Amino acid sequence: MDDPLDLGLREYLDETATESPTPAGGAAAAVLAGLAAALTAMTARYSQDEWPDAGAAVAQAETLRVRAEPLACEDVTAYAEVLRLRRESAGDEALGRALERAADAPFRIAEVAADIAELAAHVADRCDPAVRVDAVAAAELAHAAARVAARLVDVNLSMRPGDERAARAARLAEAAGRAAAALGA
């Protein structure tokens, strides 16, 4: 499959709806995080006349968006390898290693989504009231992305008990939830 970000929105939705197991939840979470970062950037940009530090928030949001963007493709690629090994009835060792690698992209999605949720909450408290609801939406979207990603990390690492990434991803999702909840969303 192509990089999900190279597809138009309708094409991406159509591709996701096929019987193919990729793209799936991880790619969707990465795209969702990217959308949350884009909304955060928009609300900060819109607020530049009234908020002197809006430019810094725009720069942070764009940096976070750039971090999120490649993770959709990375997730698809890593999970496709897991699926290939399952089709080939690979041994537990090889499958375990592939699942461990497949946890990397969702873990990084959880990291960036938590950062986006916190930035969106910061922006929501300072932006123009006309776009505050969009900053709140960005925090909620980032929280959803972090929760999905944390769940995928947990599932992918189920063959590797004791891997700290599952607990860390859960904590990141909780932090994103706290940021969104602080906005009364």
Side-chain angles (χ1 to χ4, degrees), residues 82-166:
V82 169
L83 295 172
R84 183 188 70 75
L85 290 170
R86 284 186 175 155
R87 277 192 312 274
E88 295 173 0
S89 300
D92 286 347
E93 177 94 12
L95 186 57
R97 281 193 309 271
L99 283 164
E100 188 173 349
R101 285 188 302 273
D104 288 341
F107 181 78
R108 292 195 342 260
I109 294 165
E111 286 180 319
V112 72
D115 290 345
I116 294 165
E118 290 175 8
L119 179 61
H122 176 80
V123 170
D125 287 340
R126 291 158 181 81
C127 69
D128 186 303
V131 293
R132 184 178 190 279
V133 69
D134 296 303
V136 172
E140 287 291 324
L141 293 172
H143 177 219
R147 285 182 40 201
V148 168
R151 179 68 181 130
L152 292 170
V153 170
D154 188 53
V155 168
N156 287 339
L157 294 176
S158 64
M159 291 178 68
R160 302 273 193 207
D163 191 312
E164 178 60 22
R165 288 179 295 171

Side-chain angles (χ1 to χ4, degrees), residues 2 9-10 14-15 17 24 27 32 36 43 47 51 64 68-69 77 93 97-98 109 122 138 149 155 178 183:
D2 295 330
L9 181 58
R10 182 168 287 120
D14 288 345
E15 184 69 27
L32 196 58
T43 58
S47 305
W51 179 27
L64 292 169
E69 286 176 357
T77 300
E93 177 94 12
R97 281 193 309 271
I109 294 165
H122 176 80
V155 168
R178 284 190 300 278
L183 299 173

Side-chain angles (χ1 to χ4, degrees), residues 7-61:
L7 304 174
L9 181 58
R10 182 168 287 120
E11 189 179 4
Y12 174 73
L13 294 172
D14 288 345
E15 184 69 27
T16 301
T18 67
E19 69 279 357
S20 172
T22 60
V31 170
L32 196 58
L35 283 170
L39 272 175
T40 303
M42 179 276 292
T43 58
R45 273 191 184 95
Y46 188 86
S47 305
Q48 287 179 346
D49 289 343
E50 301 85 25
W51 179 27
D53 294 330
V58 170
Q60 286 179 303

